[in-house]
């Protein structure tokens, strides 16, 4: 009797396992179809070997991860609880979730350039929330329909495989498909090993396109997104980071600004030394105007590039190409349009250290070694409307603090409220570039007291153009920055230098050089820390830098 029961159990279990194999086989086809979204999110390879690799890797990899889902979830459940209805229902639910996760991951990849991961949860939720806020009914309707459709397909496939199991077991085509998948799997891996050894970019750029596939190296990522020269990559050369395509045309301002009369002067008071949070708090206590403390402000460039970041509101990688166009920053174009002055004063022992391109933008420039002649209320009253930049190029901040105190005192006695921005500018070392530099904005236009979101120097020009000069020009047409009052909580910032790219996220900043080395810097500890290579964060940083180029492409339709 026990022998008969054992034979019935074995027969039943073998039938369930055979069914689950065929059920998984059909889900491989479904997974390949659903994963088309990954393939269409990237341009097709240019070479024949790249195209062959694409299709062999696509089919074999999706077959592998689908079979892995069966092996890790469905197969153990079948062995533990070999009840026909339960197993068929459970497997249908498992593969429904598998397909829905695949579709969601594909959508995230098409929007952000990387797969679902814990380190980029804020960006992923922001994409989903954006869709919900745009049209919540359409979003939930689509989600429910997709889920029910996926479950219906699974139930139909499950029922078909169970009822036609004997016929399916007699077919021969499955054997050839299995041999094809295995051959494609081996072939794609051998080709990738060859490509890795020979730096075959057309193949290596496909790394990480599919979920759970090869990770990209930093240099391949930079080359893929156009921040590193492809020829230098193929020849294994290390060159300064630069755009691999032409820099978009920088815009020329037409009659789009309406200067407001309630704040006719702007003072940018800058220093080469650190401003601590204590300094910012003290400055805030010395004024009776509305202050906006930028608690997580960054300035990540050397002094020459920092001026470009500040006034052109673009990352350093655009500097050479934009300056070659000989078009003034939009901020200075607006000043000329409004017939407002732009003055520059450098306080220190050196002569004017401004780059030539920037000196030409100012109405007047001067260098002084002592600020005593400026710290008089009557002197402040005589300053004409316009933009006034003061840069303290000194060993300490003594004269800087004296000047700020005098300026804020003059503001108390001035009926007309001016805009004052105080910050450090320029860096000498990498650790300086990656550190946080608190800043403060005094303006009657912004009511936000403290800004805890990430801000940087590229936000200054958009803030002045919108709040002071009332320009209607879309910010994305000339900048990657935002006005201070509109920055997002999940914002990721980035900038570049000749050696790599700097990315700022939450409480950390990361420098990635062209040799794929990641260096992570803790903002709270103020020192380097050990952390894993975060490629989604690198891609977010690259997307931030590429905003200006991508927006220009969308506007021209090219």
């Amino acid at each position: 009797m026990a022998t008969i029961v054992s034979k019935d159990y074995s027969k039943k279990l073998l039938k369930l396992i055979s069914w689950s194999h065929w059920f998984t086989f059909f889900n491989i086809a479904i997974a390949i179809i659903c994963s088309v979204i990954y393939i269409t999110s990237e341009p097709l390879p240019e070479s024949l070997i790249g195209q062959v690799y694409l299709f062999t890797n696509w089919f074999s990899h999706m077959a592998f991860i689908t079979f892995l889902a069966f092996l890790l979830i469905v197969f153990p459940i079948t062995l533990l609880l070999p009840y026909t209805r339960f197993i068929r229902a459970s497997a249908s639910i498992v593969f429904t979730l598998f397909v829905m996760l695949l579709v969601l991951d594909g959508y995230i990849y098409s929007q952000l350039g990387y797969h679902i991961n814990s380190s980029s949860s804020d960006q992923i939720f922001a994409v989903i929330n954006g869709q919900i806020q745009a049209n919540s009914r359409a979003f939930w309707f689509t989600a429910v329909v997709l889920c029910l459709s996926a479950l219906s397909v699974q139930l139909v496939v499950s029922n078909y495989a169970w009822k036609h199991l004997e016929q399916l077991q007699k077919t021969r085509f499955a054997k050839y498909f299995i041999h094809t998948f295995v051959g494609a799997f081996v072939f794609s891996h051998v080709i990738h090993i060859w490509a890795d050894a020979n730096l075959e970019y057309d193949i290596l750029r496909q790394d990480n396109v599919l979920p759970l596939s090869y990770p990209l190296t930093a240099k391949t990522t930079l080359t893929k997104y156009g921040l590193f020269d492809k020829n230098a990559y193929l020849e294994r050369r290390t060159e300064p980071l630069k755009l691999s395509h032409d820099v978009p045309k920088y815009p020329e301002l037409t009659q789009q600004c309406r200067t407001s009369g309630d704040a006719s002067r702007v003072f940018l008071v800058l220093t080469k030394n650190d401003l601590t949070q204590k300094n910012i708090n003290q400055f805030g206590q010395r004024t009776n105007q509305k202050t906006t403390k930028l608690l997580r402000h960054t300035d990540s460039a050397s002094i020459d590039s920092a001026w470009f970041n500040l006034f052109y509101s673009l990352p350093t990688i655009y500097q050479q190409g934009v300056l070659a166009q000989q078009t003034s920053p939009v901020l200075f174009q607006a000043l000329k349009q409004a017939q407002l002055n732009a003055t520059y004063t450098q306080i220190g022992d050196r002569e004017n250290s401004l780059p030539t391109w920037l000196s030409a933008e100012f109405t007047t420039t001067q260098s002084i070694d002592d600020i005593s002649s400026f710290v008089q209320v009557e002197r402040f009253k005589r300053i004409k409307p316009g933009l006034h930049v003061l840069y303290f190029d000194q060993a300490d901040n003594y004269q800087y603090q004296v000047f700020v105190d005098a300026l804020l005192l003059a503001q108390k006695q001035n009926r007309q409220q001016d805009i004052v921005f105080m910050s450090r500018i320029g860096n000498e070392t990498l650790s300086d570039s990656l550190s946080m530099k608190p800043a403060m904005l005094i303006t009657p236009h912004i009511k936000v007291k403290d800004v805890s979101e990430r801000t940087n120097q590229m936000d200054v020009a958009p803030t002045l153009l919108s709040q002071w000069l009332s320009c209607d020009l879309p910010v994305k047409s000339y900048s990657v920055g935002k006005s201070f009052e509109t920055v997002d909580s999940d914002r990721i910032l980035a900038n570049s230098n000749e050696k790599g790219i700097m990315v700022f996220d939450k409480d950390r900043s990361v420098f990635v050089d062209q040799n794929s080395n990641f260096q992570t810097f803790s903002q709270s500890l103020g020192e380097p820390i050990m952390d894993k290579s975060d490629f989604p964060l690198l891609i977010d940083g690259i997307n931030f830098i590429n905003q200006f180029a991508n927006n220009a492409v969308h506007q021209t339709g090219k």
Side-chain angles (χ1 to χ4, degrees):
M1 184 69 180
T3 304
I4 295 173
V5 172
S6 178
K7 287 182 178 179
D8 289 342
Y9 172 81
S10 299
K11 185 178 180 180
K12 181 180 180 181
L13 180 60
L14 288 173
K15 185 177 181 181
L16 277 174
I17 292 175
S18 178
W19 167 84
S20 63
H21 286 162
W22 281 102
F23 184 61
T24 304
F25 175 79
F26 289 123
N27 270 286
I28 288 174
I30 295 173
I32 291 173
I33 294 172
C34 291
S35 61
V36 170
I37 189 171
Y38 297 109
I39 308 303
T40 56
S41 297
E42 300 285 347
L44 286 174
E46 298 175 0
S47 64
L48 178 61
I49 187 67
Q51 294 170 4
V52 172
Y53 173 80
L54 171 65
F55 289 102
T56 55
N57 184 57
W58 175 21
F59 293 148
S60 62
H61 187 76
M62 296 313 301
F64 173 74
I65 63 174
T66 307
F67 182 74
L68 203 62
F70 157 75
L71 197 63
L72 297 178
I73 303 175
V74 177
F75 184 66
I77 295 176
T78 305
L79 295 179
L80 293 174
L81 300 168
Y83 304 108
T84 303
R85 291 184 178 179
F86 175 77
I87 293 299
R88 289 174 58 188
S90 298
S92 297
I93 293 173
V94 167
F95 277 106
T96 296
L97 295 176
F98 173 78
V99 169
M100 293 302 296
L101 183 61
L102 195 64
V103 171
L104 176 61
D105 183 69
Y107 175 73
I108 295 298
Y109 182 84
S110 68
Q111 297 298 305
L112 299 177
Y114 50 78
H115 302 284
I116 295 175
N117 65 92
S118 57
S119 64
S120 301
S121 57
D122 288 344
Q123 288 70 43
I124 292 169
F125 284 128
V127 170
I128 297 173
N129 287 332
Q131 292 296 318
I132 295 175
Q133 292 175 4
N135 194 330
S136 59
R137 289 186 179 180
F139 175 85
W140 291 115
F141 176 78
T142 303
V144 171
V145 168
L146 280 176
C147 188
L148 293 178
S149 299
L151 181 60
S152 299
V153 170
Q154 293 297 328
L155 293 174
V156 170
V157 170
S158 170
N159 189 57
Y160 176 84
W162 183 259
K163 288 187 176 181
H164 299 81
L165 185 58
E166 292 184 5
Q167 295 94 312
L168 292 172
Q169 288 173 335
K170 294 177 182 179
T171 57
R172 296 183 178 181
F173 73 89
K175 178 175 63 176
Y176 300 114
F177 272 102
I178 292 172
H179 291 163
T180 301
F181 283 131
V182 172
F185 186 81
V186 173
F187 174 81
S188 62
H189 281 70
V190 170
I191 290 296
H192 190 277
I193 294 172
W194 169 82
D196 207 20
N198 293 276
L199 279 185
E200 182 59 42
Y201 174 72
D202 221 21
I203 291 175
L204 296 181
R205 67 183 292 274
Q206 299 178 44
D207 290 353
N208 202 45
V209 171
L210 299 173
L212 303 177
S213 57
Y214 295 103
L216 283 166
T217 65
K219 185 176 286 188
T220 306
T221 305
L222 293 171
T223 308
K224 178 179 178 179
Y225 285 89
L227 301 189
F228 190 78
D229 183 68
K230 182 178 176 181
N231 292 326
Y233 173 88
L234 297 176
E235 296 173 14
R236 302 173 186 262
R237 300 198 311 266
T238 299
E239 291 189 347
L241 206 63
K242 62 181 181 180
L243 291 171
S244 59
H245 49 77
D246 293 336
V247 173
K249 181 175 174 56
Y250 191 76
E252 294 185 6
L253 191 65
T254 57
Q255 298 295 324
Q256 295 165 306
C257 297
R258 304 176 305 279
T259 307
S260 58
D262 58 347
S264 59
R265 301 186 302 184
V266 171
F267 295 93
L268 301 185
V269 191
L270 309 170
T271 175
K272 74 172 186 179
N273 302 307
D274 281 330
L275 289 178
T276 64
Q277 190 61 55
K278 182 180 179 180
N279 295 142
I280 296 299
N281 293 336
Q282 289 174 346
F283 294 152
Q285 293 170 1
R286 293 167 187 167
T287 179
N288 57 1
Q289 296 188 43
K290 297 175 182 177
T291 63
T292 300
K293 297 175 184 176
L294 308 174
L295 305 178
R296 302 173 71 191
H297 193 72
T298 57
D299 168 45
S300 54
S302 62
I303 184 61
D304 286 347
S305 297
W307 291 118
F308 176 83
N309 297 159
L310 178 65
F311 290 114
Y312 275 101
S313 193
L314 291 172
T316 304
I317 199 168
Y318 293 98
Q319 183 170 346
Q320 183 178 354
V322 169
L323 293 181
Q325 298 176 22
Q326 297 183 343
T327 304
S328 298
V330 168
L331 177 60
F332 285 99
Q333 294 182 45
L335 290 173
K336 291 176 182 177
Q337 183 188 98
Q339 297 181 342
L340 293 172
N341 289 325
T343 68
Y344 173 80
T345 303
Q346 181 169 309
I347 301 91
D349 297 330
R350 295 192 301 167
E351 292 296 322
N352 185 350
S353 60
L354 277 182
T356 305
W357 65 266
L358 184 54
S359 293
E361 300 293 345
F362 288 101
T363 310
T364 60
T365 62
Q366 62 175 325
S367 299
I368 59 176
D369 56 8
D370 188 273
I371 203 67
S372 57
S373 61
F374 267 84
V375 291
Q376 300 174 8
V377 174
E378 292 301 320
R379 175 66 183 271
F380 283 119
K381 289 181 179 180
R382 294 198 301 269
I383 295 177
K384 296 180 180 180
L387 175 68
H388 305 284
V389 180
L390 296 102
Y391 173 55
F392 287 77
D393 183 18
Q394 296 180 309
D396 56 48
N397 279 338
Y398 173 73
Q399 290 205 62
Y400 182 89
Q401 294 182 20
V402 170
F403 175 80
V404 171
D405 288 344
L407 175 62
L408 297 181
L409 177 62
Q411 293 296 307
K412 289 183 178 181
Q413 301 177 12
N414 188 9
R415 295 181 180 179
Q416 190 175 24
Q417 294 180 329
D418 298 320
I419 297 175
V420 181
F421 176 72
M422 292 166 279
S423 170
R424 171 181 171 169
I425 187 169
N427 301 275
E428 295 182 357
T429 65
L430 177 60
S431 59
D432 283 344
S433 298
L434 296 173
S435 64
M436 201 158 41
K437 302 173 182 69
M440 188 167 75
L441 176 70
I442 299 175
T443 173
H445 303 288
I446 300 178
K447 297 180 180 180
V448 180
K449 187 174 183 180
D450 294 333
V451 177
S452 57
E453 289 79 13
R454 282 276 184 202
T455 58
N456 66 7
Q457 302 291 57
M458 290 176 271
D459 299 324
V460 175
T463 302
L464 296 180
L465 285 164
S466 64
Q467 301 297 326
W468 178 41
L469 299 173
S470 302
C471 294
D472 295 330
L473 186 69
V475 174
K476 290 184 178 180
S477 66
Y478 66 89
S479 168
V480 298
K482 290 187 175 182
S483 185
F484 287 132
E485 80 278 10
T486 63
V487 294
D488 304 318
S489 59
D490 58 346
R491 191 183 192 199
I492 288 179
L493 302 176
N495 202 357
S496 63
N497 59 27
E498 292 184 348
K499 297 180 180 179
I501 180 173
M502 296 160 282
V503 187
F504 302 85
D505 171 41
K506 298 179 181 177
D507 190 41
R508 60 176 176 160
S509 49
V510 178
F511 176 73
V512 186
D513 66 24
Q514 300 166 0
N515 295 318
S516 303
N517 299 314
F518 280 70
Q519 180 177 340
T520 304
F521 189 89
S522 170
Q523 300 288 355
S524 58
L525 298 177
E527 59 184 27
I529 58 173
M530 295 296 294
D531 201 1
K532 64 180 181 179
S533 301
D534 193 339
F535 282 94
L537 178 61
L538 173 60
I539 293 173
D540 281 331
I542 293 172
N543 288 335
F544 175 84
I545 290 175
N546 276 335
Q547 286 180 89
F548 178 61
N550 293 338
N551 186 66
V553 170
H554 292 153
Q555 287 182 335
T556 59
K558 297 180 180 179

